[in-house]
Amino acid sequence: MAGSALRRLMAEYKQLTLNPPEGIIAGPVNEENFFEWEALITGPEGTCFEGGVFPAKLVFPPDYPLSPPKMQFTCEMFHPNIYSDGRVCISILHAPGDDPMGYESSAERWSPVQSVEKILLSVVSMLAEPNDESGANVDAAKMWRENRDEFNKIAQRIVRRTLGIPN
Amino acid sequence: MPVILLNRLPLPNLKTYVCLSVLALSSCVYFATTVIKNPDWNKGKSGISNENETFNETDKFSGDTRPLRQYISEIFLVMVHEAVCVWVMINMACCCLILLGRCIQKLVFDELRISEQQHLEEKFWNFIFYKFIFVFGVINVQYMDEVLLWCSWFSLLGFLHLLSQLSKDRFEYNFQLSFSLTTPVWNHVKLLTLLICIFALSGFMLLISTFVGFFEGLNTFAFMSAEVILLSLRTVHVILRYVMHLYDVFRDGSGSVSNVSSSVWEKRGPVVYYVELVFEMSAYIIDFVHHLHMLVWSNIFLSMASLVICMQLRYLFHELQRRYKKHRNYLWVLKHMEQNYPIASPDELSQNCDNCAICWEKMESARKLPCNHLFHTMCLQSWLEQDKSCPTCRLTLNIETPMGGRVELLPELQNDPPQPTRRHLNHFFHFDGSRYVSWLPSFSVEVSHAQLVRPDQLVATNSQLDAMARQVQQMFPHIPLSTIVDDLRVTRSVELTVENILEGHVVPPPIFRELDVRPTVVPMSTNSRNSPTGDSFNVDEESSENWDELTSDNVDMEEFSGLGSRFSKSSSEREYMLHKRKEQMLRVARKKYMEKQKTKLDSSQR
């Protein structure tokens, strides 16, 4: 039912605007299409992504909140749990039915109780603590495990890029 | 269903087609006038020609003063007797139909969106393919007259089919993708009127088919009426859905976050569900019977036509089965819910001050799960259809499917993308005629059961658009991304959009004009992209100048400090505020980062 999806999205948008969580902004860029949002996520402090402002796109299905939205970073990202095209791979974004990797219990997957805010907060914690077991980006996962300095350098470069600061 | 002819013919565009048809028709008329200039033109013919002769005799002296009506009827007579002219007239009729379609499109739909266009095109070829099979494979017509009659019948039917498909697409777009209130009421009225017209016309066509069936027998009637009934069913379905959605929207007035009384919703849920079910099932059943009838009637089981019909039958059968399973699942879940999850008492409701966790709306009635979590009946129902656990605490609920196994298969049908199930339903026919007889043609036909624009493709084009838009925005930072994207949707090319902007066709909306959008960010981010590595903090004179620039950016920061605490009622203002908040966030982050780097640098220099 598209009507209830719209009402729910509107409610979430309102909540995110009135009580924004620290370092997170999200909303539909163009309200003509309420099913596509843009979010800005600040890199968590004390991590290699500290200070960066990462833009991401959220696309909601017509039967939201029964099905999870899809999330994709629109800036360059280098992270074990983010595909090279920016798609985010975290368990709460996976529909309860499908389990492509076969390692998640259904308790970690999407449920209508989740919300945009919870997704974004999970993404922030994912930025802080990559889960190198589910490698969406194998190169990044390997570097994270074996060559942390190099990984941090790359992360810092991405941070500067998102801020529009020359290297 | 759709058929994509792999080698699409290079069709002329509408203008040249219309010109050519008009030209052909006028040359035919000219030919006819030259023929009837000779008063004895129909002398050799029998029957009525004798009467005409005497008529012409009297007119002979007054030159060409024959009454206009007779003049025209004579021209017509000549043209009907000339085979070429008949074809030209048929062509003209087609042309008129297309023009009429264009007019309706201009009047009701304005510009078609790309997906609608693709859908339409696909439906069109699909329709032609199946009707061709029907006329030449099933009915196996022998006479030109019959072919003509069938063709005219199907062109009218196809026309109405396409229109109803288009209105359905537009309706879905209006309600699923856009915020319903942005479409003016007038558009709804136009669309609904069109739908009702289609419905009325299909009723009229049903009358014709009964009339024809009266003379031609039951089979013809069944063939003709099945299509018409399908058309009217689909149309009524769209009308009903439309009305229900409109009711939905206007019931909550502003359409936004008002707390709707959920009791109405609760009652409406099953009604909507059963309406959907009845229409979908009956459409499938009629289609199935229609195809079965064709197969039995054609009597030729080993032909291309019967093969195609069998494929279609198979597809319809699967769809029917799928729908039936889904319905069984629905009934089962409903029954299970009613037996095991009691309706929450008013006390429990008042204790629980939270909203329904699924739709975030207030609960006036609710069901209680064993784990004491409360949800709306409809919300819970639609969730349990795809997953068997409590949404809040993930307690596994003990629901067995009617078939005995746990419902693990069904979610893919409903919830996540239809692509995986659909993809393998595509059929690819390749007929290599030359392998059998040298003169036989070879061709390939793809019968796919998916809609042409699959969600994943849509996303791809979206991200493509996004990339293009960003490219344009780097050149014109003062124009907001949404405006660029809108223009790109029309032009589909970066060059054309850039041209449009340069020529002033694309202007930023008034709000954005006085606002300088990230004046420093854009060019700098392009610079940074050029440098391959950034392994050192080489902060030189130039970028310390940038610091000053960047920090000076923050002068107007305080102005927007209160932005987070308001949620505007107008959508444009909300968009603007969101944009502003994002900008501010970026500025603050940049400033913070720079200060940090400065202190870092200072400490390392010391």
Side-chain angles (χ1 to χ4, degrees), chain B residues 300-312:
Chain B
I300 27 167
F301 287 98
L302 283 173
S303 71
M304 198 56 196
S306 58
L307 190 73
V308 170
I309 292 172
C310 280
M311 300 291 319
Q312 187 66 6

Side-chain angles (χ1 to χ4, degrees), chain A residues 57-127:
Chain A
K57 194 174 71 181
L58 284 155
V59 180
F60 297 90
D63 64 345
Y64 183 81
L66 296 177
S67 302
K70 292 195 171 65
M71 183 170 174
Q72 184 174 23
F73 278 100
T74 48
C75 64
E76 184 198 338
M77 278 309 248
F78 189 74
H79 188 280
N81 305 118
I82 300 174
Y83 289 99
S84 46
D85 63 354
R87 275 180 302 131
V88 180
C89 175
I90 47 173
S91 59
I92 70 161
L93 285 181
H94 291 154
D98 63 44
D99 187 2
M101 309 292 178
Y103 59 86
E104 301 152 345
S105 68
S106 106
E108 292 168 335
R109 282 186 243 141
W110 175 257
S111 129
V113 177
Q114 307 292 354
S115 61
V116 176
E117 185 179 337
K118 285 184 190 156
I119 293 171
L120 294 178
L121 288 173
S122 315
V123 169
V124 169
S125 68
M126 175 202 79
L127 287 179

Side-chain angles (χ1 to χ4, degrees), chain B residues 265-287:
Chain B
W265 180 257
E266 298 269 313
K267 271 183 219 132
R268 231 178 53 96
V271 175
V272 174
Y273 178 80
Y274 277 104
V275 166
E276 290 276 307
L277 180 78
V278 166
F279 274 101
E280 273 176 44
M281 283 298 244
S282 46
Y284 282 136
I285 289 172
I286 290 174
D287 216 4

Side-chain angles (χ1 to χ4, degrees), chain B residues 233-273:
Chain B
L233 257 183
R234 279 178 195 144
T235 316
V236 172
H237 189 192
V238 178
I239 293 177
L240 272 182
R241 279 172 67 195
Y242 208 131
V243 169
M244 283 191 292
H245 275 275
L246 273 186
Y247 171 75
D248 227 22
V249 168
F250 288 109
R251 190 192 45 177
D252 28 302
S254 65
S256 55
V257 266
S258 57
N259 276 332
V260 192
S261 66
S262 47
S263 58
V264 188
W265 180 257
E266 298 269 313
K267 271 183 219 132
R268 231 178 53 96
V271 175
V272 174
Y273 178 80

